[in-house]
Amino acid sequence: MAVIQHEEQVHVQEQPELTLGEAADQLARSLPGHRVEILQGRLTVTPPADVSHALALSWLGEEFGARARTVGLRLVQGVGLWLPSGPEDYAIPDLSVVEADIKDAHVMKNCYAAHVFRMVVEVTSTNWADDLGPKVEDYAQAGIPVYVVADRKHDQVLLCTDPRGGEYKNKAHHKRGTSFTVPDVVGVEMKLSVDRLLDGDED
């Protein structure tokens, strides 16, 4: 007996490939509370912060924010920074000191031009390698005058200043039990405690 086999042809409509920016938007919608960034053409996703991370930012917001306002600056959290490293690259620093007219510097997708950022601060979490690697390069290329990393992985604070030629010419590591002065270029006079930046509180 002959067996007749029928091949069924199924027409599947191919989905158009997403751009990196579209993929980032899709991830951000599907992972609420996570931070989605594009660094040097690579998608990164950071989970929600732990309490020490949040307390460090709250302390800075309270202590530093009030001083910033007296000199016409603002302190903002989670505001996108458009990067020159790629056509769709952007970062979302934990905290930024910005010019008061930042709204006029909107680029797209809730990201703003680098020239209105005076200082950015990152408190490391599971993505510590990004904060100490690509972001150092990206923020220098963008000309951000001061980049501060509360490096909880290595229990120290990294202070990067003087961006020239796509790199920070000055990088200083500050250990526990010390403090450092906010560089003059930021425009806010204040000393920052390394312990407070790492732990979020004094306990």
Side-chain angles (χ1 to χ4, degrees), residues 15-202:
Q15 295 292 326
E17 277 193 31
L18 296 176
T19 67
L20 204 54
E22 289 168 342
D25 292 342
Q26 195 173 84
L27 268 176
R29 286 192 299 271
S30 62
L31 296 171
H34 290 64
R35 180 172 53 171
V36 178
E37 301 169 296
I38 302 176
L39 304 175
Q40 300 178 359
R42 179 175 53 89
L43 263 176
T44 71
V45 180
T46 306
D50 61 27
V51 72
S52 294
H53 184 289
L55 285 171
L57 296 179
S58 294
W59 168 68
L60 276 172
E62 294 163 5
E63 298 293 323
F64 199 90
R67 299 185 188 209
R69 289 186 71 87
T70 64
V71 293
L73 300 173
R74 296 291 183 270
L75 207 65
V76 294
Q77 292 189 36
V79 170
L81 165 57
W82 203 253
L83 297 170
S85 51
E88 297 186 277
D89 285 7
Y90 67 92
I92 304 175
D94 286 324
L95 184 142
S96 304
V97 179
V98 298
E99 305 282 352
D101 61 352
I102 184 172
K103 291 180 181 179
D104 297 332
H106 181 256
V107 179
M108 65 174 66
K109 293 174 60 171
N110 293 326
C111 292
Y112 296 82
H115 72 271
V116 296
F117 289 76
R118 294 272 189 100
M119 180 173 82
V120 296
V121 179
E122 301 280 11
V123 178
T124 62
S125 51
T126 54
N127 67 332
W128 60 269
D130 285 333
D131 293 334
L132 296 171
K135 285 190 177 180
V136 174
E137 299 169 6
D138 290 346
Y139 292 157
Q141 290 173 15
I144 306 302
V146 178
Y147 176 34
V148 176
V149 187
D151 179 8
R152 300 190 297 171
K153 173 70 175 178
H154 303 100
D155 212 31
Q156 62 184 358
V157 170
L158 171 64
L159 174 64
C160 302
T161 57
D162 192 14
R164 282 183 290 137
E167 63 179 347
Y168 283 109
K169 298 301 182 182
N170 297 322
K171 296 177 185 174
H173 295 86
H174 297 276
K175 303 295 185 184
R176 278 194 176 276
T178 66
S179 61
F180 61 93
T181 302
V182 174
D184 291 342
V185 67
V186 178
V188 179
E189 292 185 14
M190 185 174 175
K191 281 196 171 184
L192 297 180
S193 160
V194 170
D195 290 5
R196 291 296 294 271
L197 285 169
L198 293 172
D199 301 333
D201 54 36
E202 295 177 318

